[in-house]
Amino acid sequence: MATPVEMPKLGNTVEDCLIARWNKRPGEAVAAGELLAEIETDKATFEVTAPLDGTLLEVFFNQGELVPVFTYICVIGEPGESVEPFRPSRAGQPAAAGPAEPPAPRQAAAAPAAQTAQAAAPPPGAVFYSPRARRFAERHGFYPAPAAGSGPGGRVLEADLRRQFHETSRTSFLAGRLVESGQEVRGEGSGLNRMVLARDLAPPPVRLSGVREKIARRMRDSLAATAQDTLHTSAAAAGLLALRARVKAARRQKPLADITIGDMVMFCAVKALVEMPELNAELIDGSLYRHASVHIGFACDTPRGLLVPVVRDAHRRSLGELSERAGELARAAVEGTIQADDLAGATFTVSNLGSFGIESFTPLLNPPQVAILGVDAIGLKPVRRDGKVEFEACIGLSLTLDHQVIDGAPGARFLKRVRERIEEIEEICGLEL
Amino acid sequence: MESGMYDLIVIGAGPGGYEAAAHAGRLGKRVAVIEKQYVGGTCLNAGCIPTKTFLRSSRLLAECRNAAAFGVRVPAAELDMPAVIARKDRVVATLTRGVEGLLKRTGVEVVRGTARLVSRSEVRVDGRPYTARNILIATGSRPSVPPIPGIQSSRVLDSTSVLSLPEIPARLAIIGGGYIGLEFAGFFAAAGTETTVIEVLPRIASGCDADISARLLQALRKSGVRFLTSCAVAAVDGNTVHYRDENGAAASLCADYVLNATGRVPVLENLGLEEVGVDFTRRGIRTSDQGKTNVAGVWACGDVTGRRLLAHAAAREGIVAVNNMFGKPDRIRYEAVPSVIYTHPEVAGVGRTEEELKAEGIAYRKSLAPMALAGRFLVENEAGMGVVKVLAGEKYGEILGVHAMGDLSSEFIVAAAAMIETEMCAADVAQLVFPHPTVSEAMKEAILQLAH
C-alpha cells in the first residue's frame, strides 16, 4: 500500500524546511530506516528515513525547495500504485525525474539583488554550500573565503554564513574611502566590534614595472644558466687618488671630462681585456665567441632600476674619451632618454659600488658574457714595509667569472693584470694635465 | 569565605576597580574587591562627584546674580557653605550606596582592609591570605606633594581637604593651573573669594588644545580669577606664597589658604610590587593596551597605571582587563577618550590637539565656530563665551580632534568620540541629525565647515 512521507516538524518555531538533497531517486528500492533525504532548517540539517520497505514512487519537491512542515514530500509503495491521493495541493508541479544538480533555487523576492550579487561574484565552488546557505550568500552578495561549515561533510549551512556575516569586520568611514583608493585590509579590524580602521590597512602590492621585470628575469637566468665564482683582491689606490686629484685641479683651469675613479678602473679593465681576450667573450649554445673589440657595459643606478649602458669600442678610447662617453650614457640612462642600442652589445661589464662604501660583493654575470668586474670602495689596509706596518689606500676588486669556461687561475691572472694597470695608472693613462 | 581561590581579586574599589569587579561578577566569576578606605574611590568621595556638587552650587549662585539678565529678580543670593557640604555628602552617600548595591547584585565580595601582593596569585589583607587566578591592581592616585618648602603647612590644602573647608576664605592661592586648580578657582571666585592661580607653564590646562586654553583663561579672568602664568612657586611660608615671576624676579602673594593642585601621583607604596616583580616607575605601573602587567596574572587599570588619570578611562581599562583575563580579546583605544573640565564655561575635548598634530606631522584642516551659532547656546548662556574647534585630516577630512569650550559641551562630546572611534569624515557627519535646538549644533557647524 502506498505510504506518504511527510516533512517533519523539527522545532516549535520551524514552519518550513528545505530539501537539501535527495538520496534516492524515484523508482529505487528503499529499506525501512534507509536515508531518503537530507533536510535543513536555518540552523541544522536532519535526515528523513524511509518508514517501511518498498519503492520510492514519487518525490513531490526538488532539491532546494522550501516545504511547509507536515507536507508530504514523497511516496513509498509497490510499483504501479497511484500517488495522486497524496500529491500536495499546491500548484500541482510534478517532481522532476530526479535530483537536479545544481539545484535551481526558487526565485526569491529579492531576485534583483540576488542577480546583481551573482553577477558580482561567482557562486562558491570549492566548498559545498547548502541550498539555504547559497540563497543567503546570493541575497547578501556575501562570499567569504572557503571554509568548512558545520553541516554534514563540512557543508556550509545558512547559520554558518549568518554568523560569519555578522562577525565580518565592517570598515570605518575613513577606511572605506582608503579601500576605495586602493589600500587593502591586512588582518583583523582593531576598532569597535572589530571594525576595520585606517591603521589596519596597508598599501596594495606594487606590480613590477616592465624594466624591473626584465631585470628580475635576467638576474634569475644569470644564476640559473652559469657557474658563477667570485674572486676578490685589492690594488694600491695611491695612483688613482693622485690622478683624481690632478683631474679635479685641472678642471678648474680648462674644460676636461670629470674622470672618476670608476672611469679609471674601467679604463684599466679595458687594457687588461685587450691582453686577455678570453675574458672578453660570450658563451652561446656551447660555443665561446672571443671578441677583439671591447664594448664595455657599466651598471648604472637609475630611477627606473638598474640599467647597463655600453661604451662601444672602449679599447680605442683614451681615458678622457672613455670617461666622457660613459658620462653621456649615464646621464641619458638616468633621464630615461637612452637609446636601446646603447643598452646592448656589451662584451664585458663593470659594476661599481665603491661610492657606497661596499668593501666586497659578488657581481652577477650578464650572460652570455663570461665575466664581470665589481669595483669596491677605497679603504686603508695595513702593509708591512721595511719591517714596519704602514697603512695604504687600497681599492677592492671583485671579479665574477663563469666557471664553465673560465677557471680560477686565468681569472686570477686577469685580476692581477687589472691590479697592475691600476697601480701604474698614472703612467698608462696618457693624460696631459 | 576566605578559603578557596577567587577568579579575580581587585585591589581598590574606585571606578576602575568596582566596574571591573562588577563586570567579572556578571560573567559569573568569583570576585573579591579589597578596599582600605571608601567604596567609590577618589572619584566618588574626593574627586569628580563632590567637586561637581560644589560647582553646581557656585553656578547656581552665579546664575542668581545674573538672573536679572534673564528677566528674573532674585534678591541677594549667597552661598551657605555648610549646606553646600551637606548636599555634597548626601549625593556622595546616595552614589556610594549605588556602587555597593551594584557590587552586591553582581555577587562581588567586598573585603575591608589594606592589600599587599605576596605572589602573582596571593594577596594578604592585613595579614589574611587570599588567593586568586587574577589580580587587578586599581589603587588609584593621590594628590602629589611637590618638593616646595612649607608645602606641608596647615594652611596648605589639597583637593581632598579643601572639600571639608567649612568657610569661604577671603583669599585663596591655588598652585597649579590644571583642571583641578581651575575647577576650584571657578568655584571660589564665584563664591566671592579673591582667587589667584599660580601656574609654572605659560598656559593653563596644558593638555587642552591651545586655542581652547587661551579662551578659557580669558573667560575665567572675566569671571574674576587672577592668573599668574609662567610663575614658579619657590616656597610657602605660613599663608604667604613666594614665587618667581615670568621674568625670574622674586615675588610673593598673601592668602588665607593655599590649595596645592599640582596634580596626582599613582598609589604604588606597600603593595608588594617589587617582591612580585611588577614593572613600574614612579609614574605608574606599566601596562599593555589589554591591561596586562609584565607579570602573568597580574593586571592593572586606572590612575595607578599613570596613563590617563580619568575615571572613565579607568572604568574602561578595568573592563578591558577583565575581558582579556577571561578569554575575550579587548583593548582600549586611547585616541577617543574624551576629557572634560567642569569650569564655567565647561571645556570638553576628544582626540588630538592642534599641537599634537603639528608635532606628529599630520596634515590637517581646522575650523573654529562660535557656539553662539547655536540658538540654544544664546538662550542658555546670555553673554557666555563658547567655541568649538574641529581638526580634520587634510585629504579625507577624517575627524581627528574636537575641542569645545562652552556650557553643556561635556554632554555632547561623546558624539565626537564616537565619530573618532568610527573614523567618520567631516562629510559623513552631514548624514547625522542633530537635535534642535541644542548646543551640539555648533559642533555640527564646525565639522561641516570642513566637509568637501
Side-chain angles (χ1 to χ4, degrees):
Chain A
M1 199 187 82
T3 308
V5 179
E6 66 180 21
M7 178 64 81
K9 185 167 171 71
L10 295 163
N12 283 332
T13 59
V14 177
E15 297 300 327
D16 44 27
C17 289
L18 193 123
I19 299 190
R21 186 177 151 87
W22 281 108
N23 282 54
K24 295 284 178 186
R25 288 160 177 271
E28 273 188 74
V30 297
E34 212 180 337
L35 179 64
L36 282 179
E38 288 168 30
I39 58 173
E40 61 177 59
T41 67
D42 61 347
K43 296 206 171 49
T45 51
F46 298 91
E47 294 178 348
V48 177
T49 53
L52 73 170
D53 294 348
T55 301
L56 181 61
L57 296 178
E58 171 106 45
V59 300
F60 297 131
F61 297 93
N62 284 328
Q63 263 178 211
E65 284 197 87
L66 212 48
V67 181
V69 297
F70 302 135
T71 306
Y72 295 143
I73 56 171
C74 63
V75 182
I76 296 169
E78 296 302 319
E81 283 183 292
S82 169
V83 301
E84 288 317 310
F86 307 111
R87 188 178 292 282
S89 57
R90 65 165 192 161
Q93 282 175 341
E101 201 70 56
R106 201 174 55 179
Q107 284 306 306
Q115 276 161 5
T116 49
Q118 234 168 349
V127 173
F128 189 82
Y129 275 45
S130 79
R132 280 183 88 116
R134 185 176 296 236
R135 185 172 308 164
F136 180 89
E138 284 167 1
R139 198 168 292 169
H140 294 83
F142 178 62
Y143 298 95
S150 60
R155 181 178 307 179
V156 175
L157 304 182
E158 184 182 357
D160 297 329
L161 281 193
R162 281 187 186 277
R163 193 176 50 247
Q164 278 189 66
F165 187 69
H166 176 70
E167 288 174 356
T168 298
S169 39
R170 277 124 291 201
T171 53
S172 77
F173 295 84
L174 174 62
R177 285 172 170 82
L178 293 170
V179 166
E180 232 172 281
S181 76
Q183 299 235 5
E184 294 190 348
V185 180
R186 300 277 160 87
E188 202 174 63
S190 63
L192 290 176
N193 200 19
R194 267 176 284 170
M195 179 182 282
V196 171
L197 302 180
R199 66 151 165 258
D200 305 319
L201 302 177
V206 180
R207 181 87 210 141
L208 292 189
S209 67
V211 172
R212 193 70 242 174
E213 200 145 14
K214 203 164 181 178
I215 294 170
R217 200 172 51 243
R218 286 188 63 86
M219 293 298 164
R220 265 193 327 269
D221 292 351
S222 167
L223 278 177
T226 61
Q228 306 203 7
D229 182 20
T230 304
L231 308 176
H232 301 283
T233 188
S234 64
L240 294 174
L241 293 170
L243 186 57
R244 175 71 184 146
R246 280 166 56 206
V247 167
K248 274 191 176 171
R251 270 165 59 80
R252 284 188 215 111
Q253 317 297 328
K254 55 182 173 183
L256 178 73
D258 188 17
I259 304 167
T260 63
I261 301 273
D263 296 336
M264 295 175 204
V265 175
M266 185 153 53
F267 179 75
C268 295
V270 172
K271 291 279 171 224
L273 285 168
V274 172
E275 292 171 49
M276 288 189 67
E278 58 264 48
L279 275 91
N280 190 43
E282 291 178 291
L283 174 63
I284 300 168
D285 289 338
S287 303
L288 191 66
Y289 297 80
R290 292 187 180 178
H291 300 292
S293 302
V294 181
H295 304 311
I296 197 150
F298 60 99
C300 187
D301 183 33
T302 77
R304 289 180 300 152
L306 171 70
L307 291 179
V308 185
V310 182
V311 179
R312 256 162 236 295
D313 296 315
H315 59 296
R316 291 211 194 102
R317 295 177 194 261
S318 71
L319 175 56
E321 289 163 353
L322 180 73
S323 171
E324 201 164 342
R325 181 64 183 146
E328 281 168 22
L329 290 168
R331 272 190 299 281
V334 168
E335 286 162 11
T337 57
I338 194 161
Q339 304 296 310
D341 284 354
D342 288 328
L343 292 170
T347 56
F348 185 87
T349 303
V350 175
S351 174
N352 184 353
L353 293 179
S355 61
F356 297 106
I358 296 302
E359 292 173 351
S360 85
F361 67 112
T362 56
L364 287 196
L365 285 175
N366 249 334
Q369 294 165 36
V370 296
I372 179 170
L373 180 67
V375 183
D376 306 322
I378 294 177
L380 291 177
K381 227 175 134 175
V383 184
R384 187 197 289 273
R385 197 167 287 149
D386 303 333
K388 282 189 294 188
V389 175
E390 291 176 359
F391 287 93
E392 189 177 80
C394 287
I395 186 163
L397 300 169
S398 303
L399 177 77
T400 297
L401 43 88
D402 188 346
H403 216 317
Q404 292 181 104
V405 289
I406 312 283
D407 290 334
R413 273 198 291 279
F414 173 77
L415 210 42
K416 182 161 175 277
R417 287 275 158 85
V418 177
R419 195 173 67 211
E420 287 163 1
R421 298 295 162 268
I422 288 174
E423 290 176 352
E424 63 192 25
I425 180 78
E426 287 179 288
E427 290 88 72
I428 64 165
C429 71
L431 274 184
E432 298 292 332
L433 294 169
Chain B
M1 272 284 280
E2 282 181 29
S3 62
M5 203 177 220
Y6 290 87
D7 294 310
L8 169 62
I9 285 178
V10 181
I11 306 177
Y18 77 71
E19 289 280 6
H23 183 58
R26 277 187 215 107
L27 295 176
K29 305 296 174 186
R30 189 173 171 221
V31 188
V33 58
I34 300 163
E35 174 55 50
K36 69 175 175 189
Q37 194 177 6
Y38 31 46
V39 168
T42 300
C43 165
L44 201 45
N45 297 279
C48 321
I49 297 299
T51 55
K52 258 79 283 166
T53 68
F54 274 41
L55 289 163
R56 180 69 191 99
S57 296
S58 68
R59 177 181 300 187
L60 189 56
L61 180 67
E63 280 174 356
C64 288
R65 286 180 179 155
N66 195 29
F70 292 82
V72 179
R73 271 199 297 275
V74 179
E78 60 182 65
L79 209 59
D80 174 359
M81 206 53 205
V84 169
I85 292 174
R87 172 170 185 266
K88 180 255 304 182
D89 291 340
R90 272 199 314 280
V91 171
V92 169
T94 305
L95 292 173
T96 304
R97 276 198 305 278
V99 173
E100 283 164 349
L102 172 73
L103 293 175
K104 198 169 177 185
R105 265 198 319 282
T106 51
V108 174
E109 203 178 318
V110 179
V111 178
R112 298 282 174 172
T114 303
R116 184 182 177 89
L117 293 183
V118 181
S119 73
R120 63 176 57 182
S121 60
E122 187 180 340
V123 171
R124 295 240 164 129
V125 181
D126 301 324
R128 283 166 290 146
Y130 291 81
T131 55
R133 291 178 185 85
N134 295 281
I135 295 169
L136 175 65
I137 303 170
T139 50
S141 63
R142 57 174 151 68
S144 73
V145 183
I148 296 171
I151 196 89
Q152 308 281 8
S153 132
S154 64
R155 286 277 145 183
V156 180
L157 308 166
D158 64 21
S159 57
T160 305
S161 54
V162 72
L163 293 171
S164 314
L165 203 61
E167 47 171 19
I168 295 295
R171 293 166 305 171
L172 177 68
I174 298 176
I175 307 174
Y179 73 96
I180 297 171
L182 295 176
E183 288 182 4
F184 281 113
F187 171 78
F188 284 104
T193 301
E194 191 184 295
T195 308
T196 307
V197 174
I198 309 169
E199 168 59 52
V200 68
L201 296 175
R203 49 175 285 198
I204 58 166
S206 60
C208 280
D209 189 273
D211 272 338
I212 299 295
S213 99
R215 282 171 167 78
L216 180 64
L217 181 70
Q218 215 182 338
L220 291 176
R221 270 193 174 137
K222 210 173 141 199
S223 69
V225 182
R226 190 175 157 226
F227 284 94
L228 299 170
T229 52
S230 302
C231 291
V233 172
V236 179
D237 179 10
N239 56 2
T240 305
V241 179
H242 298 280
Y243 63 93
R244 299 210 162 269
D245 70 13
E246 53 200 333
N247 304 315
S252 65
L253 175 77
C254 277
D256 300 306
Y257 286 99
V258 178
L259 172 60
N260 165 27
T262 50
R264 301 183 66 85
V265 290
V267 175
L268 299 159
E269 299 80 11
N270 302 318
L271 271 172
L273 297 179
E274 298 88 343
E275 290 88 331
V276 179
V278 175
D279 185 16
F280 69 97
T281 67
R282 64 189 175 81
R283 307 190 68 135
I285 296 174
R286 284 187 213 277
T287 53
S288 68
D289 286 355
Q290 285 76 33
K292 288 179 181 156
T293 70
N294 62 314
V295 177
V298 179
W299 310 70
C301 72
D303 290 5
V304 74
T305 67
R307 285 186 151 207
R308 296 292 294 271
L309 276 64
L310 295 167
H312 46 277
R316 175 72 187 132
E317 286 168 345
I319 287 170
V320 164
V322 167
N323 281 338
N324 282 299
M325 66 182 75
F326 298 120
K328 184 181 174 203
D330 199 358
R331 60 189 287 274
I332 177 164
R333 290 168 293 273
Y334 289 99
E335 59 272 25
V337 175
S339 58
V340 178
I341 306 177
Y342 296 88
T343 40
H344 179 48
E346 279 179 1
V347 167
V350 62
R352 292 189 180 86
T353 63
E354 188 168 357
E355 295 70 50
E356 287 169 341
L357 291 176
K358 279 184 182 154
E360 291 173 50
I362 296 171
Y364 65 93
R365 287 175 287 143
K366 66 171 166 177
S367 70
L368 209 62
M371 280 201 178
L373 283 179
R376 176 72 183 280
F377 184 76
L378 279 183
V379 168
E380 292 292 325
N381 291 283
E382 192 58 20
M385 297 168 76
V387 68
V388 184
K389 177 175 178 178
V390 176
L391 300 158
E394 169 73 42
K395 188 165 178 200
Y396 295 101
E398 71 276 20
I399 313 287
L400 297 169
V402 175
H403 307 281
M405 185 189 80
D407 276 351
L408 297 187
S409 48
S410 64
E411 290 296 334
F412 63 76
I413 199 68
V414 65
M419 292 172 196
I420 291 175
E421 276 278 11
T422 54
E423 294 185 331
M424 283 184 104
C425 301
D428 303 316
V429 174
Q431 299 174 43
L432 301 181
V433 178
F434 286 67
H436 175 79
T438 61
V439 181
S440 71
E441 289 172 290
M443 175 171 76
K444 183 188 182 183
E445 280 304 318
I447 293 172
L448 292 188
Q449 283 175 20
L450 298 177
H452 58 189

